Amino acid sequence: RPWDYKSQERAGAAGCHPCRVSGGPAARRRAELALPWDDPLWGNKTCAFFGRHSMLPRHVQRLGRDWIAHWNGSQIFASNSLASNYMRWAGYSPWASFPLPVPVDFSANWRSCGPWRQFQNSNWQLDNFMQSSCFHLPNPSMKSEGEEPLIKKRRLSGQHDTSASEEETNFANQEEALCLSVAQGEGKHSSKKGTVKRHWEYFCQHGRTTKIFENKETDQSNRESDAKFDFTVMSYNILSQNLLEDNSHLYRHCRQRLLIWTYRFPNILQEIKQLDADVLCLQEVQEDHYRTEIKSSLETLGYHCEYKMRTGRKPDGCAICFKTSKFRLISSNPVEFFRRDIPLLDRDNVGLVLLLQPRFHCKTNAAICIANTHLLYNPRRGDIKLTQLAMLLAEIASVAPQKDGTFCPIIICGDFNSVPGSPLYRFIKEGKLNYEGLAIGKVSGQEQFSRGQRILSIPIWPKKLGISQNCVYEIKPQQEEENAGEKLEEAKLDNAQEIVIASEKLSSKLQHHFKLSSVYSHYFPETGIPEVTTCHSRSAVTVDYIFYSAANDDNAAQPGAEDSFHGGLKLLGRLALLTEKDLWTVNGLPNENNSSDHLPLLAEFRLIER
């Protein structure tokens, strides 16, 4: 068929071809076969050309940013050859590598100016492409990192188009633009653009009211902190790389190079350095990364690390790390939520409970119990979530008692996969829950219209789990094997008597003995807009929490916590959270500066002795 040059000229006039080509028919034909974008690597007219050019196959016209073209360096580049002798496409196979590309000289088809001239003049050779052997096509719906994807477009007042400045930034550093593995220094983080600042909120008591200030000096009681034991606690879901890759649909709004672990880990470590918490509670800590990088990096910062990996095939887990200059480890107690003999508990989530002793002189041997967990995500399995929570609370109840019968101060951190106000959240804060008639899909409140409508059974978990409805061990796990013979004898009791006892004990009420408050209020008091701890392509919501046992004089605690233990913790301040609107001004999470899909939670406490 003859070439339709008129339609090509019309396409060029419409703006879908990068430049007008001078010369005869042969030159125009080479221009049509060449790569149709402004710049051969990072131009932004690619998909516009594919969408309008009728001479390309339909599946190529639908080409988007997530399609990856793999390079075969031995076929494209000869040794010490410049990248200016580039390639053109001979065809396309969906979800597969390119067929053998045909080398072509771009000098007749491309304007030798701007970033392309910079790239052409640089001595990029084959060795530069050995570590990263693929490139990603840009998304036509996102001109810059600071702009939202179409599915998450918000009407933000005062937000300007930053595509020009972002494009200049991308080409200013060729190694950062072309390499997927980016090494970042501390100085580079401080100069990054597009960040959303989070400020500290400090609590100041005036009578029975509590005021929040952004300046710590306004709290008169903090001036006496030299004689007190103050410490900070962080809860942070750092997003396992394995889970990120398994759920890539949640991160379609992100540039591909920002999702690589070699880019993400320096950002995460920098956040931990800057916030400098005394205790870290980390979730989704991938085991191989923990073993090779995370543990050693945190130990150089003065932390001692305890880790519990999930029991199934997912290679991540929970870690608690504390500054050895502030605490001494008394005991470490991992909790496995999987039970082979109980069908309900077929998930591999875990928890970790530490008992720490502060390194300061006090009248009594004060201790603090720190717990960390990541509960099941599935919104339709509220029965599993409540059982996992009961198992964690039972372990805390076995670790936290003191000699006088009271509990030491308790802090529970984690990703609970439940929203504020849900039945599971209320159970943690209020210490009781009547789940009679409660639909299984409404326990966590993750879905407005829950799909799991089956009613929770009474009781939720079987008796052989060894945990009562008060969330304490009826028989400690290590005693189960020792008492196996006694159980057989007890099983021979009269059937009628067993039925009577069982009917008396059947109850739909759960309880626990801890009076807990939440560090965060979950809504901004001035506007009523919800706070957000996680934000990705599908949702923006609060699922991460720091709960603590409040002291009597802690007016920052929620109502109902004032009659807590005779000792306890006083909340001095917290790192403010953000709204969903705030996060989408920097393209949600993860982004160029925040490399997890969760925000770190941070609170400062004061230990109050009895």
Side-chain angles (χ1 to χ4, degrees):
R1 293 181 299 167
W3 288 91
D4 185 3
Y5 295 109
K6 293 184 178 180
S7 62
Q8 176 64 26
E9 292 175 358
R10 288 194 298 268
C16 59
H17 200 280
C19 61
R20 298 183 180 272
V21 180
S22 60
R28 287 194 293 268
R29 188 165 185 261
R30 286 198 301 271
E32 291 171 334
L33 294 178
L35 291 175
W37 46 32
D38 277 351
D39 182 88
L41 281 184
W42 305 101
N44 54 19
K45 294 185 179 179
T46 307
C47 294
F49 178 86
F50 288 165
R52 300 176 187 176
H53 203 291
S54 60
M55 301 181 66
L56 291 176
R58 182 175 301 172
H59 53 266
V60 178
Q61 295 179 23
R62 292 197 301 263
L63 191 61
R65 64 162 289 185
D66 291 330
W67 177 64
I68 304 176
H70 294 272
W71 293 354
N72 187 336
S74 62
Q75 295 174 348
I76 297 176
F77 296 101
S79 178
N80 297 329
S81 64
L82 291 177
S84 58
N85 290 323
Y86 221 73
M87 65 179 181
R88 70 185 181 205
W89 293 336
Y92 167 68
S93 175
W95 308 108
S97 298
F98 268 37
L100 177 63
V102 181
V104 63
D105 187 2
F106 279 84
S107 59
N109 303 332
W110 298 93
R111 293 179 178 176
S112 299
C113 59
W116 169 237
R117 169 57 64 185
Q118 297 173 12
F119 178 78
Q120 197 174 22
N121 291 336
S122 63
N123 293 325
W124 267 88
Q125 299 178 358
L126 177 61
D127 295 340
N128 299 87
F129 292 92
M130 293 304 292
Q131 293 184 351
S132 58
S133 59
C134 61
F135 68 89
H136 297 262
L137 301 181
N139 189 344
S141 64
M142 291 178 58
K143 297 180 181 179
S144 68
E145 186 70 22
E147 184 174 345
E148 303 170 18
L150 295 179
I151 58 174
K152 285 288 184 180
K153 201 71 176 176
R154 299 285 189 275
R155 294 183 179 178
L156 303 179
S157 59
Q159 182 177 358
H160 302 288
D161 186 8
T162 60
S163 59
S165 60
E166 287 287 343
E167 187 173 354
E168 292 175 1
T169 304
N170 288 338
F171 286 110
N173 189 339
Q174 294 176 2
E175 291 185 0
E176 182 174 349
L178 296 174
C179 287
L180 298 179
S181 178
V182 181
Q184 301 163 317
E186 295 183 13
K188 185 177 178 181
H189 282 267
S190 61
S191 61
K192 283 186 175 180
K193 298 180 180 179
T195 59
V196 176
K197 293 184 179 180
R198 298 173 61 187
H199 61 272
W200 271 92
E201 296 177 337
Y202 291 94
F203 297 90
C204 182
Q205 180 178 342
H206 294 278
R208 286 189 166 272
T209 62
T210 301
K211 295 184 178 181
I212 301 176
F213 297 91
E214 296 184 21
N215 188 353
K216 189 173 184 177
E217 295 179 357
T218 56
D219 189 351
Q220 299 294 331
S221 62
N222 283 330
R223 296 179 181 177
E224 305 173 1
S225 60
D226 293 340
K228 310 283 185 179
F229 183 75
D230 298 347
F231 63 100
T232 53
V233 177
M234 175 197 290
S235 180
Y236 194 9
N237 183 327
I238 64 173
L239 181 56
S240 161
Q241 188 68 22
N242 181 269
L243 294 177
L244 183 153
E245 295 170 1
D246 289 346
N247 300 275
S248 58
H249 61 282
L250 300 178
Y251 312 107
R252 292 174 180 169
H253 62 286
C254 301
R255 291 180 178 177
Q256 194 69 23
R257 69 179 181 88
L258 305 183
L259 300 179
I260 297 177
W261 177 249
T262 52
Y263 182 94
R264 295 177 54 233
F265 178 61
N267 269 349
I268 294 171
L269 187 61
Q270 181 66 19
E271 273 188 300
I272 293 175
K273 285 182 180 179
Q274 289 178 345
L275 297 178
D276 193 30
D278 298 315
V279 180
L280 305 175
C281 292
L282 307 178
Q283 304 89 41
E284 292 193 21
V285 181
Q286 194 162 307
E287 192 273 338
D288 57 336
H289 293 157
Y290 173 79
R291 179 169 27 88
T292 59
E293 295 178 277
I294 298 176
K295 182 180 180 182
S296 58
S297 298
L298 293 180
E299 286 176 346
T300 59
L301 299 178
Y303 291 97
H304 172 82
C305 303
E306 294 289 327
Y307 179 72
K308 175 58 182 174
M309 182 180 170
R310 288 166 71 171
T311 53
R313 296 181 178 180
K314 298 293 179 63
D316 67 282
C318 295
I320 300 180
C321 314
F322 59 89
K323 289 279 187 71
T324 55
S325 60
K326 299 273 280 192
F327 295 98
R328 181 181 67 85
L329 178 64
I330 299 177
S331 66
S332 177
N333 308 273
V335 184
E336 297 181 356
F337 298 145
F338 174 81
R339 295 293 178 89
R340 191 178 302 277
D341 58 335
I342 300 178
L344 174 67
L345 297 175
D346 60 349
R347 308 304 166 96
D348 56 6
N349 304 84
V350 295
L352 186 60
V353 181
L354 299 190
L355 193 63
L356 302 179
Q357 183 175 17
R359 293 185 181 273
F360 78 113
H361 299 288
C362 58
K363 299 178 182 178
T364 60
N365 291 327
I368 301 174
C369 181
I370 309 288
N372 183 24
T373 190
H374 188 181
L375 299 185
L376 176 70
Y377 166 77
N378 193 338
R380 290 166 283 177
R381 294 309 304 266
D383 52 345
I384 299 179
K385 292 173 186 277
L386 284 173
T387 307
Q388 291 179 347
L389 177 61
M391 296 173 70
L392 180 70
L393 294 174
E395 185 65 27
I396 295 173
S398 68
V399 171
Q402 300 183 110
K403 294 181 180 179
D404 58 359
T406 62
F407 291 108
C408 69
I410 296 169
I411 298 175
I412 305 178
C413 301
D415 182 345
F416 291 83
N417 276 314
S418 302
V419 302
S422 64
L424 186 143
Y425 173 86
R426 295 201 310 270
F427 173 54
I428 296 175
K429 282 188 57 179
E430 299 173 5
K432 57 185 178 180
L433 173 67
N434 187 349
Y435 60 88
E436 183 176 5
L438 180 61
I440 194 173
K442 294 184 178 180
V443 171
S444 63
Q446 292 167 279
E447 296 180 340
Q448 186 175 2
F449 304 101
S450 57
R451 291 170 284 176
Q453 296 299 330
R454 179 168 61 87
I455 303 301
L456 287 170
S457 60
I458 302 176
I460 299 177
W461 55 83
K463 185 176 178 61
K464 64 180 178 180
L465 180 60
I467 296 178
S468 70
Q469 298 291 291
N470 292 330
C471 298
V472 295
Y473 288 127
E474 293 178 333
I475 300 177
K476 292 185 178 180
Q478 57 268 24
Q479 295 178 348
E480 290 184 0
E481 296 181 359
E482 300 175 1
N483 299 338
E486 299 178 3
K487 287 184 178 181
L488 291 176
E489 295 180 1
E490 293 176 358
K492 298 179 181 179
L493 293 175
D494 182 70
N495 291 338
Q497 183 179 357
E498 289 182 354
I499 294 174
V500 172
I501 295 175
S503 62
E504 291 177 353
K505 291 186 176 181
L506 279 180
S507 173
S508 62
K509 296 180 180 180
L510 294 179
Q511 293 181 344
H512 67 77
H513 300 292
F514 315 119
K515 302 293 178 61
L516 300 173
S517 297
S518 173
V519 166
Y520 291 91
S521 56
H522 315 308
Y523 295 91
F524 289 92
E526 301 85 2
T527 61
I529 299 176
E531 297 172 337
V532 166
T533 65
T534 180
C535 180
H536 50 67
S537 295
R538 289 290 181 89
S539 67
V541 70
T542 289
V543 293
D544 306 277
Y545 303 94
I546 300 178
F547 297 103
Y548 69 103
S549 53
N552 291 340
D553 60 344
D554 183 14
N555 280 19
Q558 285 79 11
E562 293 83 1
D563 57 346
S564 183
F565 314 146
H566 294 292
L569 299 169
K570 181 177 181 180
L571 179 62
L572 301 180
R574 65 192 180 197
L575 185 62
L577 288 171
L578 302 171
T579 66
E580 180 182 4
K581 179 179 177 181
D582 294 332
L583 288 174
W584 281 115
T585 62
V586 291
N587 201 41
L589 297 172
N591 55 51
E592 189 171 350
N593 301 309
N594 309 101
S595 289
S596 174
D597 58 347
H598 292 249
L599 291 173
L601 279 60
L602 184 62
E604 184 177 7
F605 297 101
R606 173 169 296 166
L607 179 63
I608 305 297
E609 294 188 68
R610 296 192 309 276

